[in-house]
């Protein structure tokens, strides 16, 4: 008889209730994870998946006080009776918000922190640090300070920092939230490679299911409302409706297959777009679905709102972050700016908003020279929502934060209250209006920052990663809300790494690479152009793979056909 493998993480009848909450966040959890497994824990925001992770690594109850019942054993240790320090020798965690994980003054110091703590000899410490930095592709940034790095680079440093400690379990809390598509793909490859080399048990908490499934996972554990709804292989779970029913986006190619009337079964091995089984009848269904509704693109009408001519800028002498950028955005457009981390996307928006002055070039807004106006007067016309909400928030309470911009507007208290409450309703934050901001999730904080900009009625809103860290439900809420604003005449520019967002919501994409605008085209064309995808660190859409496998040309028309159908399905709430 074969001896059953003993689990490295074991939950038995486990429940957890935060001290600040009225009812348990987790109830009756029974789950075993075995050595060397790679498990994806998926669930919408507020489902309990991060609480589950916090119990495994000791953040709950040692940082976030609460009571537990039942049993949780992590690598032989009774987790609830242990300490964060003890559990950190067993579990290495990479957080979603990389700013919360920096300790050192430089990248090198940060990666070496755990080694210094354990008194590793200097030469050995340098060797391990360098190796960990090379593993995550950050070896050329060892002398950089944390604030000089992009979100994606910070994420890599966090990963290197836990790699130096030879832990048995690696826990990734939304590792893709701040990464460009190519870096996200590399991160998933890297996690896979590290796991194969070291035999570590890997837990990934993420709602971007399709991106995680770029590499195989053993199981997907679906969590909602504090309980486990499914613990299945990817092929089994994707052949059910559980993901869609629980607010998790299934991979796009699977949705397209469903729209074409194909029955998704586990025998079709649906976990990957390039290997899902498509027989001749399936391919025919897809071709028929595609040709049933031809797509004809509409060109945006309207006068130019923002015009940029020959814009160049460098933070340091002799180094140009932006080189000779010229573009025009019309009134009422919704446009994405895409490209790798460090391509100049955020710098471009800082120049438009007046946070930096260009070395050369011109910026016009409604035909007026914007460079003659100061930040304050620009802010009334152009709202800017930063990627990291923590860098925008200055008040303790939600209401006060959103009201801040109106305090010196000459409006009465009553007018301000009405305006703030209306804006909070639009952003889905009205029930929390009297809450402290510290009680909110990363995604909710994001919505507070959007509300604080919207309250001023700007003509143009520039959003840096509007949906980072949002599950599909909140992502859709935010994007539908931005679309609604756009339909009311507000022009929207989004800097995004989310290729789904670019495809679905912005007909046009501006592609940046190495400080230059390298393309300005329809969003669907971007992800069907392998050369552009490589230059701009993007990721081909799985719809492109599906179209090619069925001989559908041009693939970008297939993508447009999908977007059209998806929009109709969602607007009818089917």
């Amino acid at each position: 008889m074969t001896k059953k493998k003993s689990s490295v993480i074991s939950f038995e009848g486990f429940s957890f209730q935060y001290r600040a909450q009225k009812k348990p966040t987790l109830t009756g959890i029974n789950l075993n994870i075995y050595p060397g497994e790679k498990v994806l824990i998926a669930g919408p925001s507020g489902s309990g998946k991060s609480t589950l992770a916090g119990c495994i690594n000791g953040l709950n109850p040692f940082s976030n006080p609460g009571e537990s019942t039942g049993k949780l054993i992590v690598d032989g240790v009774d987790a609830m009776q242990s300490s964060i320090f003890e559990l950190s020798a067993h579990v290495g965690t990479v957080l979603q918000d990389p700013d919360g994980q920096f300790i050192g003054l430089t990248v090198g110091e940060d990666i070496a922190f755990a080694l210094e703590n354990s008194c590793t000899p200097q030469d050995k410490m340098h060797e391990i640090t360098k190796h960990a930095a090379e593993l995550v592709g950050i070896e050329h940034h060892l002398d950089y300070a944390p604030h000089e790095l992009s979100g994606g680079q910070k994420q890599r440093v966090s990963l290197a920092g836990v790699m130096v400690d030879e832990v048995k379990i690696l826990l990734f809390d939304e590792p893709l939230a701040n990464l460009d598509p190519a870096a996200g793909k590399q991160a998933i490859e890297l996690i896979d490679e590290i796991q194969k080399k070291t035999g570590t048990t890997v837990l990934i908490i993420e709602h971007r299911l399709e991106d995680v499934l770029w590499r195989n996972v053993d199981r997907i554990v679906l969590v909602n409302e504090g309980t486990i709804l499914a613990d299945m292989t990817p092929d089994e779970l994707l052949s059910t409706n559980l993901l869609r029913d629980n607010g998790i986006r299934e991979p796009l190619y699977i949705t397209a297959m469903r729209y074409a009337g194909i029955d998704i079964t586990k025998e079709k091995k649906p976990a990957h777009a390039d290997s899902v089984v498509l027989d001749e009848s399936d391919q025919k269904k897809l071709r028929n679905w595609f040709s049933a509704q031809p797509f004809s693109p509409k060109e945006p009408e309207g006068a130019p709102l923002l015009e940029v001519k020959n814009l160049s800028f460098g933070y340091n002498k002799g180094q140009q972050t932006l080189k000779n950028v010229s573009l025009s955005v019309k009134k009422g457009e919704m446009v994405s700016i895409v490209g790798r981390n460090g391509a100049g996307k955020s710098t471009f928006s800082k120049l438009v908003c007046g946070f930096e002055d260009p070395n050369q070039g011109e910026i016009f807004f409604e035909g007026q020279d914007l460079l003659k106006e100061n930040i304050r007067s620009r802010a009334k016309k152009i709202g800017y929502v930063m990627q990291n909400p923590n860098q925008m928030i200055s008040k303790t309470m939600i209401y006060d934060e959103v009201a801040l911009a109106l305090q010196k507007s000459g409006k009465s208290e009553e007018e301000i209250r009405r305006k703030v409450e209306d804006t909070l309703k639009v952003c889905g934050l009205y029930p929390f209006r009297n809450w402290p901001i510290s009680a909110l999730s990363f995604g909710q904080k994001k919505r507070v920052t959007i509300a604080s900009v919207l309250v001023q009625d700007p003509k143009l809103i520039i959003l840096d990663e509007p949906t980072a860290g949002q599950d599909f439900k909140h992502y859709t809420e935010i994007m539908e809300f931005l679309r609604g604003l756009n339909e009311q005449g507000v022009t929207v520019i989004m800097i995004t790494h989310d290729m789904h967002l670019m495809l679905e919501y912005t007909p046009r994409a501006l592609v940046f690479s190495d400080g230059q605008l390298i393309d300005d085209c329809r969003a669907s064309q971007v992800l069907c152009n392998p050369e552009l995808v490589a230059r701009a660190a993007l990721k081909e859409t799985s719809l492109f793979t599906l179209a090619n496998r069925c001989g559908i040309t041009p693939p970008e028309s297939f993508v447009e056909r999908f977007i059209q159908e998806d929009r109709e399905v969602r607007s009818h709430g089917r």
Side-chain angles (χ1 to χ4, degrees):
M1 214 171 90
T2 55
K3 186 171 178 270
K4 194 171 181 325
K5 229 179 1 171
S6 62
S7 50
V8 69
I9 297 169
S10 175
F11 289 89
E12 274 177 48
F14 183 83
S15 298
F16 184 82
Q17 180 171 346
Y18 291 107
R19 199 171 285 165
Q21 302 288 349
K22 288 198 176 80
K23 55 181 206 265
T25 301
L26 296 175
T27 43
I29 300 288
N30 292 299
L31 176 67
N32 285 302
I33 290 166
Y34 298 97
E37 273 195 306
K38 194 203 295 179
V39 177
L40 166 60
I41 298 177
S45 289
S47 60
K49 62 185 188 303
S50 290
T51 301
L52 199 71
C55 294
I56 293 168
N57 64 16
L59 280 175
N60 307 330
F62 304 108
S63 266
N64 312 314
E67 299 304 317
S68 65
T69 55
K71 243 179 154 175
L72 169 57
I73 305 296
V74 176
D75 198 14
V77 174
D78 183 339
M80 295 295 113
Q81 303 305 314
S82 180
S83 67
I84 287 191
F85 179 70
E86 188 183 351
L87 283 167
S88 72
H90 303 269
V91 184
T93 307
V94 178
L95 298 173
Q96 170 193 347
D97 183 359
D99 287 336
Q101 204 153 345
F102 263 98
I103 297 157
L105 297 174
T106 66
V107 167
E109 277 181 32
D110 199 78
I111 296 172
F113 181 76
L115 300 170
E116 288 193 64
N117 265 358
S118 53
C119 304
T120 308
Q122 279 284 333
D123 51 350
K124 184 107 169 63
M125 185 157 69
H126 282 297
E127 187 188 318
I128 297 171
T129 302
K130 186 167 174 285
H131 176 64
E134 281 167 358
L135 259 182
V136 301
I138 204 87
E139 68 273 20
H140 301 304
H141 294 77
L142 290 174
D143 297 329
Y144 281 49
H147 69 85
E148 294 177 290
L149 301 179
S150 69
Q153 289 167 329
K154 287 175 182 172
Q155 192 99 19
R156 288 166 179 243
V157 175
S158 304
L159 177 49
V162 296
M163 292 311 308
V164 299
D165 237 348
E166 290 179 354
V167 288
K168 280 206 194 150
I169 301 158
L170 279 174
L171 176 62
F172 295 90
D173 190 359
E174 302 208 5
L176 305 174
N178 298 304
L179 300 180
D180 65 45
K185 195 168 153 181
Q186 286 160 9
I188 293 300
E189 288 167 0
L190 186 60
I191 291 169
D192 196 53
E193 194 184 310
I194 284 163
Q195 192 223 9
K196 283 179 177 144
K197 279 184 190 163
T198 58
T200 316
T201 304
V202 169
L203 292 183
I204 302 172
I205 293 164
E206 185 58 74
H207 45 252
R208 286 168 60 175
L209 194 92
E210 181 172 342
D211 294 330
V212 176
L213 291 180
W214 173 244
R215 285 288 181 266
N216 286 329
V217 300
D218 296 300
R219 292 189 278 152
I220 302 174
V221 175
L222 180 64
V223 180
N224 204 0
E225 295 180 356
T227 62
I228 290 176
L229 299 182
D231 178 355
M232 301 177 177
T233 67
D235 287 336
E236 287 168 339
L237 185 60
L238 291 170
S239 58
T240 70
N241 289 325
L242 283 165
L243 292 168
R244 288 186 301 169
D245 294 349
N246 288 282
I248 300 291
R249 167 164 238 158
E250 64 183 8
L252 293 189
Y253 60 92
I254 290 193
T255 310
M257 287 166 71
R258 288 191 201 276
Y259 289 163
I262 296 169
D263 190 23
I264 310 289
T265 61
K266 67 174 192 292
E267 288 71 32
K268 285 197 182 300
K269 302 205 171 350
H272 303 286
D274 51 6
S275 56
V276 59
V277 176
L278 288 170
D279 60 29
E280 188 43 53
S281 122
D282 294 338
Q283 294 191 30
K284 192 173 175 206
K285 282 179 182 170
L286 278 159
R287 286 195 289 268
N288 290 345
W289 171 77
F290 166 65
S291 51
Q293 227 175 329
F295 170 76
S296 52
K298 288 187 196 75
E299 282 307 311
E301 296 161 11
L305 179 72
L306 177 71
E307 290 176 280
V308 171
K309 296 176 182 173
N310 306 319
L311 204 61
S312 294
F313 172 77
Y315 290 100
N316 304 314
K317 279 236 178 313
Q319 253 189 333
Q320 285 207 315
T321 312
L322 276 192
K323 299 168 215 157
N324 221 14
V325 171
S326 297
L327 58 91
S328 166
V329 175
K330 290 179 178 168
K331 277 183 189 164
E333 273 201 283
M334 204 157 170
V335 181
S336 282
I337 298 181
V338 298
R340 74 178 72 237
N341 282 322
K345 306 182 302 292
S346 299
T347 302
F348 171 77
S349 34
K350 286 176 186 171
L351 293 168
V352 171
C353 295
F355 305 144
E356 301 285 355
D357 294 320
N359 302 68
Q360 69 169 55
E362 299 171 291
I363 308 174
F364 296 97
F365 194 84
E366 294 186 311
Q368 303 293 308
D369 185 351
L370 207 55
L371 297 178
K372 289 181 176 162
E373 297 188 32
N374 62 18
I375 291 182
R376 193 176 173 80
S377 73
R378 289 192 210 188
K380 288 176 184 158
K381 305 178 210 181
I382 302 171
Y384 180 60
V385 181
M386 293 167 85
Q387 180 175 343
N388 185 343
N390 300 323
Q391 293 171 341
M392 282 184 78
I393 290 167
S394 56
K395 294 286 183 186
T396 310
M397 307 302 285
I398 291 175
Y399 179 90
D400 297 342
E401 180 64 35
V402 179
L404 184 62
L406 301 179
Q407 296 299 323
K408 291 180 181 160
S409 63
K411 287 184 165 68
S412 69
E413 275 303 311
E414 185 46 43
E415 285 175 304
I416 289 176
R417 175 167 297 280
R418 203 174 314 125
K419 184 70 188 159
V420 170
E421 289 184 353
D422 286 350
T423 307
L424 288 171
K425 281 174 189 163
V426 165
C427 295
L429 291 165
Y430 185 73
F432 312 110
R433 62 196 177 282
N434 299 319
W435 282 35
I437 290 168
S438 59
L440 300 181
S441 70
F442 189 80
Q444 288 169 322
K445 284 181 188 171
K446 191 94 181 187
R447 281 188 275 164
V448 171
T449 61
I450 292 176
S452 65
V453 162
L454 269 185
V455 79
Q456 299 181 73
D457 293 324
K459 290 183 179 174
L460 168 67
I461 298 182
I462 301 176
L463 301 109
D464 198 345
E465 292 295 343
T467 56
Q470 303 282 349
D471 67 11
F472 189 43
K473 178 172 173 282
H474 288 122
Y475 157 103
T476 305
E477 275 172 15
I478 282 193
M479 291 313 302
E480 288 299 330
F481 147 62
L482 288 170
R483 181 204 292 290
L485 284 175
N486 178 245
E487 284 167 356
Q488 289 162 37
V490 178
T491 305
V492 178
I493 295 178
M494 285 177 285
I495 296 168
T496 185
H497 289 322
D498 189 328
M499 297 295 98
H500 292 170
L501 178 155
M502 176 193 79
L503 278 179
E504 289 173 297
Y505 288 95
T506 63
R508 178 179 166 208
L510 301 164
V511 186
F512 278 71
S513 179
D514 298 327
Q516 292 172 300
L517 179 66
I518 61 166
D519 210 338
D520 175 351
C521 58
R522 287 196 66 77
S524 54
Q525 292 171 318
V526 174
L527 299 190
C528 295
N529 178 338
E531 189 197 334
L532 194 59
V533 161
R535 273 187 76 189
L538 305 175
K539 181 169 170 258
E540 281 164 12
T541 168
S542 59
L543 297 169
F544 173 71
T545 311
L546 193 61
N548 282 342
R549 287 191 60 196
C550 298
I552 294 171
T553 56
E556 55 266 29
S557 297
F558 181 77
V559 173
E560 297 275 9
R561 168 77 178 94
F562 173 82
I563 293 163
Q564 197 177 337
E565 174 105 359
D566 206 47
R567 171 124 325 285
E568 283 167 22
V569 168
R570 280 200 277 155
S571 63
H572 293 112
R574 284 210 322 251

